Amino acid sequence: MLNRYARAFFTKVFTPVAKLFLSLGISPDIVTIVGTLGVSFGALAFYPRHEFLIGTLVITAFVFSDTIDGVMARMSGRSGRWGAYLDSTLDRLGDAAIFGGLVLWYAGGGDDVLMAGLALACLILGSVVSYSKARAEGLGMTANVGIAERADRLVAVLLTTGLVGLGLPEVILGVVLALLALASLITIIQRMWAVRVQALAAP
């Protein structure tokens, strides 16, 4: 949903930033790498210490690099397979760091096996969601279906985690993680079914 309706809005918002970076000689690849490092630092430095608010603010400050680097690539004519590969690969690292930071807290100082398990399920299933699409495309098919796109999952977990840092009961985060895990599982099944239909229809 967010991929469809929010991408155009944020592209307009960050176009001036993209122009500024290009005028300074910064490449889209550098923005991608710095953004991933920032997201990973925010998640792994603060979430395992239960500093959910500051961690979410740091992550949010860097997470929009995923939009900025794309705008820069299109404006500079550098859009290509390498940039797409780098972007999607590092996206997986950033996502894993976010859920991994939650796993580290709840498996350690948070002492909550259920919450740790839910965060781990989101990490694993989210990775499979991405892989199922990439593998389909590698086989010449498409898997652009599912109820849990990456942007939706990120907004849900970051918003809820940040609010928990402001005092929202952690049980709400548990509910969100459970729903995200379920939505990710459904998305995997949807994509597998879509690929199966295409594979069986192929000559």
Side-chain angles (χ1 to χ4, degrees):
M1 181 178 66
L2 290 175
N3 281 342
R4 290 194 297 269
Y5 298 111
R7 185 175 297 275
F9 170 76
F10 284 112
T11 295
K12 291 181 180 179
V13 170
F14 290 114
T15 293
V17 178
K19 289 181 179 179
L20 174 62
F21 285 173
L22 288 172
S23 69
L24 295 175
I26 300 173
S27 73
D29 289 351
I30 293 298
V31 173
T32 302
I33 293 170
V34 171
T36 301
L37 291 175
V39 168
S40 299
F41 172 77
L44 297 177
F46 297 104
Y47 280 4
R49 297 189 295 179
H50 203 221
E51 297 177 357
F52 284 178
L53 179 59
I54 184 63
T56 299
L57 292 176
V58 172
I59 293 168
T60 303
F62 286 96
V63 78
F64 288 108
S65 64
D66 192 45
T67 298
I68 297 173
D69 59 8
V71 176
M72 292 174 65
R74 289 189 292 273
M75 292 177 62
S76 62
R78 298 182 185 178
S79 297
R81 288 184 292 181
W82 162 248
Y85 172 80
L86 178 68
D87 188 58
S88 61
T89 300
L90 295 187
D91 281 350
R92 304 292 83 74
L93 288 177
D95 295 355
I98 291 171
F99 289 105
L102 293 175
V103 172
L104 289 174
W105 164 249
Y106 287 113
D111 193 23
D112 192 324
V113 175
L114 177 60
M115 291 287 284
L118 290 173
L120 182 60
C122 289
L123 192 162
I124 295 171
L125 293 171
S127 297
V128 179
V129 166
S130 300
Y131 175 80
S132 63
K133 180 178 179 180
R135 183 57 177 156
E137 293 173 347
L139 294 172
M141 295 178 280
T142 60
N144 297 319
V145 296
I147 62 173
E149 293 283 353
R150 175 176 181 263
D152 302 313
R153 299 195 306 271
L154 278 183
V155 169
V157 71
L158 290 178
L159 179 61
T160 310
T161 304
L163 291 175
V164 168
L166 286 173
L168 187 74
E170 295 203 28
V171 65
I172 304 299
L173 178 58
V175 171
V176 169
L177 290 175
L179 291 175
L180 286 179
L182 178 60
S184 297
L185 178 60
I186 293 173
T187 298
I188 293 169
I189 295 172
Q190 288 176 304
R191 291 184 173 181
M192 290 178 66
W193 182 259
V195 171
R196 181 179 185 274
V197 170
Q198 295 171 70
L200 292 179

